[in-house]
Amino acid sequence: MILVLDFGGQYAHIIARRIRELGVYSDVKPCDMSLSEIGKMRPDGIVLSGGPSSVYDHNAPLMNKKVLDLKIPVLGICYGEQLIGKYAGGTVLAGKLKEFGKKEMIVKKNGKLLKGLSKKEQVWMSHGDLVTELPKDFEILASTDTCRIAAFENEKRKLYGIQFHAEVAHTPSGMQILKNFVFDVCRAKKDWQIGDLPKKLIKEIKKEVGSKSVIMGASGGVDSTVAATLLHKAIGSRLYCVFVDHGLIRKNELEEVKEYFEKKLSFRHFFAVDASKMFLERLKGITDPEEKRKIIGHTFIEVFDNKVTELEKKHKDIKFLGQGTIYPDRIESAQPSKYASKIKSHHNLTLPEKMKLKVIEPLKEFYKDEVRTLGKELKIPDEILNRHPFPGPGLAIRILGEVAEERLKILKEADYIFIEELKNSGYYSKTWQAFAALIPVKTVGVMGDARTYEYIITLRAVTSLDAMTADWAKLPQELLEKISTRIINEVKGVNRVLYDISQKPPATIEYE
Ligand code: XMP
């Protein structure tokens, strides 16, 4: 396996995913992990990730310097490279030249790390600091016009550093570099295949749960459905699924989810709890996004908790809480990495804290594409596996400002039309996520000679690999026109449709 030490950049997870794509298991751990813990993992190689800090920051995330002396190959990326530079005795210059974007790199020596790369390569830079003086016994592999030490090595000690990000698509030879490191330098074995996992996971669940029962929230999303299906295969009717209908779901959503669980999977215990009135009541007058998220999160837990208590009374062997948490869920709430800054509070993670049940999360080590592969192995229908992600707080964070019943109704209809057209045109599967959002601003329009004064609907469709970065989807103009015309004609209360052309970062996928 390849260990990725996380210095706070969201890139750490992209690195691990890329390595897993190469067929080698990779795990992300906090950078200050102890040497003995590292030893226990027996990694074939270690990658030091990038991160938002400068090695000179007062609170800069650091690792034990001796990681470089473990005789395990190390590749430092960006911040990780600067750390190697600093620890090995080179000079790192702080903040003189901030670089962000594509650069041309000249390869001076391929060595093992840059094997197969051309003389000139495009790379993607995002940094403030730079290694300006090589440590002793290191050699420069590549440079750009502003960065003399864009890649370095100490072949004897098997220490390598690159100033650019090899893990992102903007560095076309990035995968080759990771491949070189993983196979040529670390000599890791290609033995990680998701397809082989269901049997192992089911066995693990059986062992952990024993003769007890599991209760879990099922949202109909990919993650919770794959998790529930795995649990169902392991323990059958000892699985209880609860769908909390907070009223902030998409049109027809509950019916579709019910159909899958009850008809296709023949689940014995699927419970839908209609709490939509309670949620709307509590959201009255609330406009602040984080407050909305908190109210929804807390109310969700309360409703779910009540249902669990009710079921626990009847079924005394319910001892586990199943969750569809996947690896990246733990990043945006700044969970494993204390150095990543908190972006939005994902309410799904707060759920187990209040419960006395033991948490079981069969998917917690997997990335989204891996979860889909697992789902395929489990024969879950494509329409569920290829469903776009949907946030826990639902449509509440797509109605900017106050969530009122009328707005909810408008948004549901507009979103339904958008998704229907995307599916009909084949663009649904070409986008990572697509949805409509309601901007609570009224603008003037004209319809049938009369003045209208109605809401704005914005359409958001993005392409992405993992939701950490995203680009706006280049949908055909004719399609956008058709969607806009349909929404304005068919949805009462809307007279203007916008298409969102912002990237993440700096925008996010959702609006709140
Ligand atoms: P952002 O808006 O942060 O979203 O770019 C990244 C991805 O996360 C989803 N998202 C959520 N998912 N609970 C979830 O389960 C949440 O509270 C939540 N907030 C955002 C979002 O839809 C996108 O796929």
Side-chain angles (χ1 to χ4, degrees):
M1 67 88 60
I2 303 289
L3 171 65
V4 178
L5 290 183
D6 179 6
F7 290 90
Q10 300 204 344
Y11 296 113
H13 282 269
I14 308 183
I15 300 168
R17 266 199 61 213
R18 293 278 176 272
I19 295 173
R20 288 190 191 183
E21 276 170 32
L22 292 171
V24 175
Y25 184 68
S26 177
D27 216 349
V28 177
K29 294 284 177 197
C31 56
D32 50 7
M33 192 182 193
S34 73
L35 292 181
S36 68
E37 279 174 312
I38 293 179
K40 274 189 221 145
M41 296 185 82
R42 302 171 39 137
D44 297 301
I46 300 174
V47 180
L48 314 178
S49 82
S53 315
S54 154
V55 290
Y56 292 107
D57 283 351
H58 176 57
N59 287 324
L62 299 173
M63 63 174 191
N64 189 324
K65 222 172 144 171
K66 292 194 182 127
V67 168
L68 303 184
D69 301 319
L70 293 174
K71 300 209 162 36
I72 300 172
V74 178
L75 170 65
I77 298 183
C78 194
Y79 179 88
E81 183 225 26
Q82 292 150 17
L83 263 191
I84 298 180
K86 184 172 171 236
Y87 286 154
T91 309
V92 179
L93 210 63
K96 270 248 160 99
L97 177 84
K98 288 204 192 310
E99 268 188 310
F100 185 85
K102 293 174 187 166
K103 294 288 292 183
E104 185 180 85
M105 179 176 83
I106 308 292
V107 176
K108 305 200 158 147
K109 177 190 166 189
N110 289 81
K112 273 193 179 151
L113 189 69
L114 305 185
K115 193 183 88 182
L117 267 67
S118 319
K119 270 264 149 289
K120 280 186 188 167
E121 288 282 345
Q122 179 194 305
V123 295
W124 198 74
M125 297 275 191
S126 170
H127 65 96
D129 296 1
L130 266 186
V131 178
T132 51
E133 294 291 336
L134 271 185
K136 199 169 160 271
D137 300 327
F138 278 65
E139 210 178 325
I140 296 180
L141 297 177
S143 312
T144 71
D145 58 349
T146 44
C147 172
R148 191 172 65 93
I149 309 176
F152 65 43
E153 68 165 11
N154 179 327
E155 213 191 337
K156 211 164 144 223
R157 288 176 69 192
K158 293 206 164 87
L159 302 180
Y160 300 84
I162 50 180
Q163 179 55 70
F164 55 92
H165 289 272
E167 68 279 19
V168 301
H170 308 303
T171 301
S173 291
M175 261 316 235
Q176 180 65 38
I177 297 174
L178 291 178
K179 206 167 153 185
N180 291 341
F181 179 70
V182 169
F183 296 115
D184 291 349
V185 177
C186 303
R187 307 225 154 264
K189 273 206 204 82
K190 194 171 173 170
D191 58 4
W192 169 250
Q193 226 187 333
I194 283 288
D196 301 340
L197 284 180
K199 265 196 206 130
K200 183 174 159 248
L201 292 171
I202 291 168
K203 210 167 129 193
E204 279 171 11
I205 295 170
K206 277 187 178 157
K207 192 169 159 222
E208 188 172 352
V209 176
S211 60
K212 303 290 180 230
S213 295
V214 179
I215 189 157
M216 81 174 283
S219 66
V222 180
D223 308 338
S224 66
T225 307
V226 174
T229 308
L230 270 173
L231 283 159
H232 186 63
K233 289 215 185 287
I235 59 168
S237 61
R238 281 184 287 123
L239 175 66
Y240 296 80
C241 280
V242 177
F243 181 99
V244 174
D245 178 4
H246 50 27
L248 307 161
I249 52 177
R250 291 161 289 191
K251 190 173 154 180
N252 292 350
E253 189 150 5
L254 176 57
E255 294 74 13
E256 286 167 18
V257 176
K258 242 175 122 76
E259 161 96 14
Y260 172 72
F261 279 98
E262 289 184 344
K263 299 242 164 74
K264 290 217 168 82
L265 274 190
S266 315
F267 254 57
R268 288 252 305 276
H269 311 294
F270 178 84
F271 305 93
V273 185
D274 180 4
S276 45
K277 281 216 173 72
M278 187 186 208
F279 278 87
L280 272 184
E281 196 56 44
R282 291 189 184 176
L283 286 168
K284 229 177 222 161
I286 309 294
T287 54
D288 178 68
E290 279 295 301
E291 207 176 327
K292 273 158 74 172
R293 279 173 175 273
K294 271 195 198 110
I295 291 173
I296 296 167
H298 291 150
T299 311
F300 191 95
I301 292 170
E302 190 182 317
V303 174
F304 186 74
D305 203 15
N306 286 342
K307 188 70 195 174
V308 172
T309 312
E310 179 197 316
L311 288 169
E312 269 177 329
K313 278 190 193 137
K314 272 199 225 150
H315 309 279
K316 299 257 184 277
D317 58 344
I318 296 180
K319 296 285 177 222
F320 287 86
L321 175 71
Q323 286 221 285
T325 320
I326 67 169
Y327 213 164
D329 289 341
R330 305 190 287 161
I331 316 167
E332 297 220 349
S333 293
Q335 259 214 345
S337 169
K338 56 188 168 204
Y339 300 108
S341 57
K342 176 161 166 167
I343 301 162
K344 294 174 185 177
S345 42
H346 279 206
H347 87 287
N348 340 26
L349 283 167
T350 55
L351 198 51
E353 283 164 19
K354 257 192 72 178
M355 314 218 144
K356 283 175 231 89
L357 302 165
K358 199 164 169 240
V359 175
I360 178 161
E361 297 171 312
L363 306 176
K364 69 172 188 291
E365 301 301 334
F366 303 112
Y367 291 100
K368 196 90 182 183
D369 50 342
E370 296 176 322
V371 172
R372 288 207 170 99
T373 311
L374 272 176
K376 262 200 166 43
E377 287 296 315
L378 293 167
K379 308 223 165 21
I380 297 175
D382 279 352
E383 68 259 32
I384 293 182
L385 289 182
N386 298 330
R387 244 175 149 189
H388 289 169
F390 188 65
L395 300 181
I397 57 169
R398 294 177 180 174
I399 293 171
L400 319 195
E402 191 187 354
V403 182
E405 207 161 351
E406 182 213 4
R407 295 177 179 182
L408 197 55
K409 205 169 142 222
I410 292 174
L411 180 60
K412 278 188 186 181
E413 292 303 325
D415 186 70
Y416 190 80
I417 293 172
F418 184 24
I419 299 303
E420 187 172 62
E421 288 300 332
L422 285 179
K423 284 188 175 159
N424 289 345
S425 60
Y427 272 89
Y428 184 81
S429 56
K430 291 183 197 153
T431 47
W432 162 271
Q433 203 168 359
F435 57 87
L438 184 139
I439 303 182
V441 170
K442 291 194 175 180
T443 70
V444 174
V446 55
M447 203 173 228
D449 294 335
R451 177 187 191 268
T452 58
Y453 188 56
E454 291 170 331
Y455 286 126
I456 302 175
I457 283 288
T458 165
L459 306 176
R460 179 90 165 125
V462 296
T463 52
S464 173
L465 278 174
D466 45 28
M468 288 186 226
T469 60
D471 195 3
W472 59 279
K474 314 294 183 292
L475 298 181
Q477 292 180 7
E478 307 73 47
L479 177 62
L480 286 170
E481 183 174 311
K482 189 171 179 197
I483 295 163
S484 153
T485 309
R486 273 197 65 192
I487 292 177
I488 292 173
N489 282 315
E490 295 173 34
V491 185
K492 209 167 155 275
V494 180
N495 65 359
R496 203 174 287 267
V497 173
L498 311 181
Y499 188 52
D500 186 338
I501 55 169
S502 22
Q503 292 177 323
K504 172 183 181 176
T508 52
I509 295 176
E510 302 287 347
Y511 285 81
E512 290 191 334

